[in-house]
Amino acid sequence: MQRLPRHPFDADRLHEECGVFGVIGVAEAANFVALGMHALQHRGQEAGGIVSYDPVSGFNSARRFGYVRDSFTKASLMETLPGDLAIGHVRYSTAGSKGSTAIRDVQPFFGEFSMGGCAIAHNGNLTNATALRRELIERGSIFQSSSDSECIIHLMARSIQRTLSERIKDALRRVEGAFSIVAMTRTKLIGVRDALGVRPLVLGRLGEDGYVLSSETCGLDIIGAEFLREIEPGEMVVISKGKIESTRPFGVPQSRFCIFEHVYFSRPDSIIGGRSVYETRRQIGVELAREAPVDADLVCPVPDSGTPAAIGFAHESGIPYGMGIIRNQYMGRTFIEPTESIRNMGVRLKLNVNRALVKGKRVVLVDDSVVRGTTSRKIKDMILDAGAAEVHFRIASPPTRWPCFYGVDTPERSKLLAANMTEEQMRVWIGVDSLRFVSLDGLYRAVGETGGRDVARPQYCDACFTGEYPVLPADQIEAGFKMAEAK
C-alpha cells in the first residue's frame, strides 16, 4: 500500500505523531484494537500496526501503511491476529523522517527475551534518544528502525530484572522526554505514563473481564467500553485477566500535561481531566471574544478544528455564527493531482467558501493556531475573493513560537511565523484587517485554571508558546538548538 500524500492544507498544521490502544480479556482482541485505532486515526494517518498473542500461534503482528480502514478491516488480515490480548499503534511521521518511513519503523515493536516476548507501542518522543542509541550501538545493540522508541526494547534487553514488567520500568528510568506506553507480554497488558504526564492515556473496562488502554476516551466509546480513569502521571499499571496492579516507578510526579491536546490534538468528543474537550474549546472562543472583541457581521470557523471556538466566540460576542467555509470530506488517499495547475490549487482542493453567506460581510475567522501562516494567507484570499468586506482572524491558542520535542510534528523554529514576527507584522504578512491570539492566561482559564497560569509552577506543558521546556531536549541542544533565555 502506498503512503498517504500530505495535503498542502495539512502541511501548515501541528500534528500528533501517534496514538496507542490495547485490549486484554476479550475474544478476538485485535478486532477491538482495530476499531480503537480507527477512533484514534486523527493522531496518526501514515501507518498502523497491531500485535496480538494467542497461546497456540504465539505472537502475531501486522503493519501497514495508510488508514486503518484500508487494511485492518479485512477479514483475511484480522484472522492472522488471533487471541484475547492485543495492542495497536497509529503513526504520524516525525519531523526528521517525513515521507521516508520504512515499514520497519511502524510500531508496535517486538522483542523476544529469555522470559518471553514483549511488544511496545509508544506515544511521545524521547529527548535523549540520540545519546542512548549511540551508547547502545557502542555496546553491541543492532537497531532495526530509525525510531527513538526502539531504544526501550534494547534497554529492556540489557536489564538484569527477572520479569518483563520490571525490565520495562528499568528501561524507562533511563529515558527522558515524553512517553505514554501500551505494552503486552503473553499474559499482561501494561500501560505507563512519564512522570510529567505530557501525553494522554486512559483506562477502560470492556465486558466483565476485559480491560482497555487508549490514548483518548473516544477510543473507548467506539467499542462500548466503560471509562474508568486516566492513567496518572508517573503511574504504571499491569493488567492481567481480572486484576490491575498499580505502581509509581518514577517517584513523585508533577503533572505537565500538553495543553495543546485541549486546543487541537484530541478529538472534541474526548474527555481530558474530567473536562469535555469540546467544551474547553468552546470556552477558548468565549475568552477570545472577551479579550479581542471586533465589529463584524459573521463568525466563521476554519473547519474542523476551529468550530467549537467559533461557536463560543459567536455566543459571547453576539455576532451570528455561520459556516462560511465548507470542507470537502472526501479528500482522501486516492485523490490524484495530475498536473501542476491542479497542485497549485492547494487549499481549494480541501476547503471552499460559502460565497452567498460571506459576500459583503465583515467576517471573523476562528482557527486553532498559526504555524507557518501560509494556509492563513490562502484562506484569507479565498474569503476576500468571495466578496467579504473585511477579514479578521481570531486564533484559539497563543502564538506558536517554539518547536515541540515531546511527540508533536513541529517545524523548526526558523519556520514558525510567530518566532520571527510580532503580532502586527504577522497581521500585515497574512493580510487581514485584524489578528488576535488568545492570551496564555486566557487559555489556562479556558481549561479550568481560573487564576490563569502559575508562572512559578506551570500547570501544563506550554513550551510551544513559552519556550519553557519541562524536560531539557538534550539531543536537540547537542545538535545546536538554542533555548530561551531565563527571565
Side-chain angles (χ1 to χ4, degrees):
M1 179 178 292
Q2 293 182 338
R3 298 176 181 86
L4 298 176
R6 179 171 296 187
H7 190 273
F9 177 76
D10 294 321
D12 196 22
R13 297 270 177 196
L14 300 182
H15 292 277
E16 261 285 10
E17 288 177 4
C18 47
V20 294
F21 199 84
V23 173
I24 188 172
V26 181
E28 299 180 337
N31 288 325
F32 290 93
V33 170
L35 288 169
M37 291 164 60
H38 178 75
L40 298 175
Q41 189 78 85
H42 60 289
R43 301 184 73 89
Q45 300 90 45
E46 186 177 22
I50 297 177
V51 173
S52 72
Y53 179 77
D54 175 71
V56 176
S57 59
F59 286 93
N60 299 278
S61 68
R63 303 175 184 178
R64 297 291 187 273
F65 288 118
Y67 292 124
V68 173
R69 71 184 183 213
D70 292 331
S71 297
F72 294 101
T73 54
K74 297 176 182 177
S76 58
L77 176 63
M78 300 311 294
E79 287 170 357
T80 69
L81 298 167
D84 64 357
L85 174 56
I87 65 172
H89 184 274
V90 289
R91 171 188 171 90
Y92 196 98
S93 60
T94 64
S97 60
K98 294 185 182 76
S100 61
T101 300
I103 198 68
R104 64 177 178 271
D105 294 323
V106 180
Q107 299 184 44
F109 290 134
F110 177 79
E112 191 70 64
F113 304 94
S114 59
M115 64 284 293
C118 180
I120 288 182
H122 169 211
N123 172 211
N125 194 60
L126 307 183
T127 57
N128 65 334
T130 300
L132 282 175
R133 190 183 186 98
R134 185 167 56 234
E135 173 192 327
L136 288 163
I137 289 174
E138 288 175 353
R139 295 186 176 184
S141 294
I142 300 173
F143 281 76
Q144 301 298 315
S145 77
S146 62
S147 173
D148 61 337
S149 309
E150 192 182 349
C151 289
I152 299 169
I153 291 288
H154 289 282
L155 289 169
M156 288 177 62
R158 293 188 170 276
S159 171
I160 62 173
Q161 299 299 319
R162 296 186 177 182
T163 68
L164 287 171
S165 58
E166 288 300 320
R167 287 194 176 202
I168 291 175
K169 289 182 187 179
D170 217 15
L172 294 179
R173 289 189 183 106
R174 290 286 318 277
V175 305
E176 298 171 3
F179 54 83
S180 282
I181 285 173
V182 170
M184 60 178 281
T185 68
R186 289 173 295 184
T187 59
K188 294 179 173 63
L189 178 66
I190 300 168
V192 198
R193 287 180 76 189
D194 67 76
L196 297 178
V198 177
R199 304 259 72 86
L201 190 63
V202 300
L203 172 67
R205 178 183 286 116
L206 183 60
E208 294 185 3
D209 300 316
Y211 288 94
V212 185
L213 291 169
S214 174
S215 288
E216 295 182 38
T217 60
C218 64
L220 306 181
D221 296 337
I222 197 173
I223 62 172
E226 174 193 1
F227 170 67
L228 295 180
R229 64 179 179 88
E230 295 182 0
I231 304 302
E232 296 182 9
E235 182 183 14
M236 177 174 180
V237 293
V238 180
I239 308 168
S240 52
K241 293 181 181 178
K243 183 180 179 182
I244 301 177
E245 297 177 358
S246 172
T247 58
R248 305 278 181 164
F250 312 118
V252 179
Q254 176 197 347
S255 179
R256 293 291 297 275
F257 184 68
C258 171
I259 201 166
F260 219 93
E261 290 278 355
H262 287 284
V263 174
Y264 177 69
F265 297 139
S266 295
R267 260 178 45 167
D269 53 333
S270 284
I271 306 294
I272 295 177
R275 294 177 60 85
S276 159
V277 173
Y278 173 88
E279 179 55 31
T280 293
R281 291 176 186 169
R282 193 196 69 81
Q283 190 61 36
I284 294 174
V286 171
E287 293 289 341
L288 259 175
R290 293 170 179 170
E291 293 181 348
V294 60
D295 289 329
D297 307 306
L298 187 68
V299 176
C300 297
V302 176
D304 292 312
S305 55
T307 300
I311 291 171
F313 190 101
H315 183 268
E316 181 68 16
S317 66
I319 302 171
Y321 170 90
M323 294 298 292
I325 301 175
I326 307 301
R327 180 169 182 164
N328 178 4
Q329 301 294 338
Y330 300 98
M331 272 294 303
R333 175 180 60 86
T334 58
F335 188 86
I336 299 171
E337 299 176 352
T339 66
E340 186 67 23
S341 62
I342 293 294
R343 284 191 291 270
N344 287 340
M345 289 182 182
V347 173
R348 295 179 189 271
L349 295 172
K350 199 154 196 174
L351 302 176
N352 192 43
V353 177
N354 187 346
R355 291 175 174 268
L357 186 63
V358 306
K359 187 175 181 179
K361 303 284 181 58
R362 297 170 297 173
V363 179
V364 180
L365 289 176
V366 182
D367 204 355
D368 62 272
S369 61
V370 173
V371 184
R372 294 177 177 89
T374 52
T375 295
S376 299
R377 290 180 77 171
K378 291 174 182 177
I379 292 173
K380 174 266 302 182
D381 288 340
M382 291 169 60
I383 295 290
L384 289 177
D385 289 347
E390 297 177 3
V391 178
H392 303 268
F393 257 113
R394 293 296 180 267
I395 309 301
S397 63
T400 303
R401 294 192 170 100
W402 295 87
C404 174
F405 302 120
Y406 305 135
V408 177
D409 173 26
T410 316
E412 58 190 55
R413 190 159 192 253
S414 63
K415 295 179 180 178
L416 293 171
L417 195 66
N420 299 284
M421 295 184 183
T422 65
E423 191 171 296
E424 173 61 16
Q425 288 171 331
M426 294 172 70
R427 182 196 69 79
V428 173
W429 188 85
I430 295 171
V432 290
D433 293 277
S434 70
L435 170 68
R436 292 289 300 276
F437 297 79
V438 72
S439 69
L440 195 56
D441 279 333
L443 176 58
Y444 269 77
R445 288 192 296 268
V447 299
E449 300 292 342
T450 56
R453 183 179 190 261
D454 184 339
V455 177
R457 291 175 60 88
Q459 304 93 316
Y460 287 86
C461 176
D462 53 25
C464 55
F465 308 131
T466 64
E468 297 179 24
Y469 293 93
V471 178
L472 288 181
D475 291 343
Q476 298 296 326
I477 292 172
E478 181 182 331
F481 176 73
K482 302 295 184 183
M483 297 279 289
E485 293 184 5
K487 295 181 180 179

